[in-house]
């Protein structure tokens, strides 16, 4: 199927979802898992499972020009910040570094979202606009946590939440990822244009030990948060990824 670049409309090529710098970390022998489970859901709610032995996911989502241009610049800046955090090094994040992390998370989220074409959160014009401004539609909040367990590697889950309540109609894209010691989560919410903005009541459920990154990132943020965070007990990452509840369309990828 011929596909066009989700960010510019140009002719897309096969590219890895995870950038080379991250793949090289994920493929380290000590981090290698026996199997990675990939679960996807189609527009009818049917679930498909497959297993793979490599963290590589390939998609025709972006063109060479985007991949080697603005996305490559973003990857270079992101790897400088994220690589030490994935290895578990303490960090004081400047506003600019927080901004870099959040742009990278959103860029990754948009690529993952586009892989399930029947139900996507981001619309074509929103992705074009993101390429220009690297600002997402609606409201967005980010959280960073620390994983202290033994199951290194990666965890990714993304889904679209909806509410049918007519007084407060919104859709949210929730993306949770974990690489090595670093846990990242974003919640991007779009409110129906018919709704008055003041009815939006942003509720963040659960008591999780995370640090929040809030645009416009005026304060420095220390990572990891003090105290215990995510470990291997009771599938905490999975629970964290489900904390907003009410999900109708959920995808898990390696
Ligand atoms: Zn492009």
């Amino acid at each position: 199927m011929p596909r066009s670049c989700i960010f510019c409309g140009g002719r897309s090529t096969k590219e890895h979802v995870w950038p080379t710098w991250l793949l090289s970390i994920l493929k380290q022998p000590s981090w290698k898992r026996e199997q990675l489970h990939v679960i996807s859901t189609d527009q009818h709610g049917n679930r498909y499972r497959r297993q793979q032995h490599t963290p590589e996911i390939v998609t025709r989502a972006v063109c060479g020009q985007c991949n080697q241009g603005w996305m490559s610049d973003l990857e270079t800046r992101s790897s400088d910040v994220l690589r030490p955090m994935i290895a578990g090094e303490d960090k004081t994040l400047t506003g600019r570094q927080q901004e870099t992390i959040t742009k990278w998370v959103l860029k990754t989220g948009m690529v993952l979202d586009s892989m399930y074409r029947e139900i996507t959160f981001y619309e074509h014009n929103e992705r074009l606009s993101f390429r220009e401004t690297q600002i997402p539609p609606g409201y967005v909040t980010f959280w960073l946590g620390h994983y202290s367990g033994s199951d290194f590697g990666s965890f990714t889950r993304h889904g679209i939440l909806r509410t049918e309540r007519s007084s407060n109609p919104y859709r949210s894209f929730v993306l949770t990822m974990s690489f090595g010691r670093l846990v990242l989560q974003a919640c991007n919410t779009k409110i129906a244009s018919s709704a008055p903005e003041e009815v939006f009541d942003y509720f963040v459920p659960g008591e999780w030990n995370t640090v929040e990154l809030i645009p416009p990132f005026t304060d420095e943020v220390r990572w990891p948060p003090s105290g215990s965070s995510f470990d291997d007990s009771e599938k905490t990452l999975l629970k964290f990824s489900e904390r907003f509840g009410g999900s109708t369309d959920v995808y898990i990828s390696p």
Side-chain angles (χ1 to χ4, degrees), residues 5 8 63 66:
C5 173
C8 76
C63 69
C66 282

Side-chain angles (χ1 to χ4, degrees), residues 5-11 61-67 70-71 131:
C5 173
I6 63 167
F7 292 111
C8 76
R11 191 187 165 145
V62 300
C63 69
Q65 210 174 350
C66 282
N67 196 48
W70 69 274
M71 293 172 83
R131 175 176 162 254

Side-chain angles (χ1 to χ4, degrees), residues 72-242:
S72 170
D73 296 342
L74 178 59
E75 293 301 345
T76 306
R77 295 200 306 277
S78 307
S79 67
D80 287 348
V81 188
L82 294 174
R83 199 190 283 270
M85 297 173 81
I86 292 170
E89 290 172 26
D90 291 14
K91 211 147 171 59
T92 300
L93 296 166
T94 64
R96 193 169 158 74
Q97 288 172 324
Q98 293 170 52
E99 203 177 341
T100 298
I101 294 173
T102 58
K103 284 175 179 174
W104 186 82
V105 170
L106 289 167
K107 183 272 294 174
T108 306
M110 286 185 180
V111 172
L112 289 168
D113 178 55
S114 76
M115 290 172 69
Y116 304 88
R117 295 226 148 187
E118 294 80 8
I119 348 166
T120 57
F121 177 77
Y122 294 105
E123 288 166 24
H124 183 62
N125 61 341
E126 293 167 344
R127 295 188 287 230
L128 297 187
S129 157
F130 183 78
R131 175 176 162 254
E132 297 297 328
T133 63
Q134 294 180 11
I135 296 170
Y139 300 82
V140 63
T141 313
F142 304 87
W143 297 269
L144 301 181
H146 178 261
Y147 173 71
S148 59
S150 57
D151 191 10
F152 264 38
S154 66
F155 171 92
T156 307
R157 183 169 184 160
H158 60 111
I160 301 169
L161 311 183
R162 305 163 199 219
T163 173
E164 304 305 327
R165 279 181 296 161
S166 56
S167 62
N168 189 5
Y170 68 85
R171 291 175 82 210
S172 297
F173 180 76
V174 180
L175 169 63
T176 308
M177 298 186 285
S178 169
F179 306 106
R181 296 281 172 229
L182 179 63
V183 178
L184 309 116
Q185 188 174 64
C187 179
N188 191 177
T189 299
K190 292 192 286 189
I191 299 163
S193 54
S194 57
E197 292 218 347
E198 59 269 25
V199 300
F200 181 56
D201 180 18
Y202 202 86
F203 174 65
V204 181
E207 291 189 12
W208 296 90
N209 190 20
T210 54
V211 289
E212 204 170 314
L213 308 184
I214 310 165
F217 315 113
T218 41
D219 298 322
E220 286 192 340
V221 163
R222 278 199 58 73
W223 184 90
S226 55
S228 65
S229 224
F230 299 88
D231 57 23
D232 291 331
S233 61
E234 300 176 71
K235 296 191 163 69
T236 54
L237 274 175
L238 198 60
K239 278 190 186 166
F240 183 57
S241 73
E242 290 171 342

